[in-house]
Amino acid sequence: MFAIALSIVAPSHAEDALPAGATAATTYTLEAADSRLYVLVKYDRDALIAGHDHVVVAQQFDGSVTWNPADPSACDVRISFPVTALAVDPGSSRSWEGLEGATSDGDKSSIAKNLQGKSQLHAAMFPRIAFTSKSCKRSGAGFEVTGSLGIHGVDAPVTALMRIEADADGFSAKGRFSASHSKWSMDPFTAMFGSLRNDDTLEFVVDVNGHAAR
């Protein structure tokens, strides 16, 4: 099954992320075509039947970030997309996680159908996934971003550490974190009376880029 949690980390020296002389907040529009927003769904290694790991990618999303390098606490991060924008192992996405082999079109379709079904994301009732930040603060070489992630009708608090770089023209943020299905009142996908099932832990990956809104 699928789920999500967000984070944000800065370069080895946090001050390197600050544009020289920048003091004002800038709003950036995130570009889905130049970003990677996905979750790694692993099969349960303790199940009787071995399955396959999959990369579930949000192929389109709406997102914006307001960032003030002089005052990270003034951040405002918003990302949302319809559940139907999620694709299973599209293009070369499996290589992002070093996964071998390919997933057939038939299996992709079947997995996507299960993902959107009532026992998982229930897209018909809960059609969107959305994250809204609540606070950002410097943490070591990175930035902790705390916010609310809405999945399956549940707005759950999440916190993550990410690498952030920003200047007058562009913004980038990279990070990954883990969360369990139960955070959003869900259970891992199972089949064949539980002999085949997904792992409870989901790994979320955020690698987004954007440009200053004009």
Side-chain angles (χ1 to χ4, degrees):
M1 139 62 236
F2 173 90
I4 296 190
L6 276 186
S7 305
I8 302 188
V9 202
S12 56
H13 297 89
E15 62 271 18
D16 292 344
L18 308 184
T23 58
T26 300
T27 297
Y28 304 88
T29 299
L30 299 181
E31 302 169 346
D34 193 31
S35 302
R36 295 177 180 179
L37 186 63
Y38 65 92
V39 59
L40 174 62
V41 182
K42 296 183 176 180
Y43 74 89
D44 190 337
R45 268 58 176 175
D46 293 327
L48 292 176
I49 299 175
H52 299 280
D53 298 340
H54 297 286
V55 176
V56 180
V57 182
Q59 292 193 297
Q60 297 92 32
F61 63 83
D62 297 316
S64 66
V65 175
T66 298
W67 184 253
N68 185 343
D71 182 12
S73 67
C75 77
D76 182 33
V77 183
R78 299 173 186 271
I79 298 175
S80 67
F81 55 88
V83 173
T84 52
L86 295 172
V88 178
D89 296 334
S92 61
S93 61
R94 291 180 62 79
S95 68
W96 302 346
E97 291 294 325
L99 301 181
E100 298 181 351
T103 306
S104 69
D105 289 342
D107 284 346
K108 290 180 183 180
S109 178
S110 177
I111 295 168
K113 182 177 180 179
N114 290 332
L115 182 66
Q116 296 179 26
K118 290 183 178 181
S119 66
Q120 297 296 290
L121 291 176
H122 200 173
M125 181 171 288
F126 310 112
R128 295 192 70 82
I129 291 172
F131 172 80
T132 303
S133 64
K134 300 298 183 182
S135 67
C136 302
K137 66 179 181 179
R138 196 179 302 280
S139 178
F143 297 93
E144 281 188 3
V145 176
T146 297
S148 177
L149 182 61
I151 301 174
H152 194 240
V154 177
D155 291 319
V158 295
T159 299
L161 179 69
M162 296 193 72
R163 178 178 301 277
I164 294 177
E165 297 182 0
D167 59 26
D169 298 315
F171 175 92
S172 68
K174 296 182 180 181
R176 63 189 300 152
F177 57 90
S178 300
S180 65
H181 285 72
S182 60
K183 197 173 188 73
W184 292 277
S185 300
M186 295 184 295
D187 295 316
F189 174 78
T190 64
M192 303 180 70
F193 303 100
S195 296
L196 175 66
R197 62 179 179 269
N198 285 343
D199 192 86
D200 183 48
T201 301
L202 298 155
E203 294 185 26
F204 298 92
V205 178
V206 179
D207 183 351
V208 294
N209 296 281
H211 63 273
R214 303 300 183 189

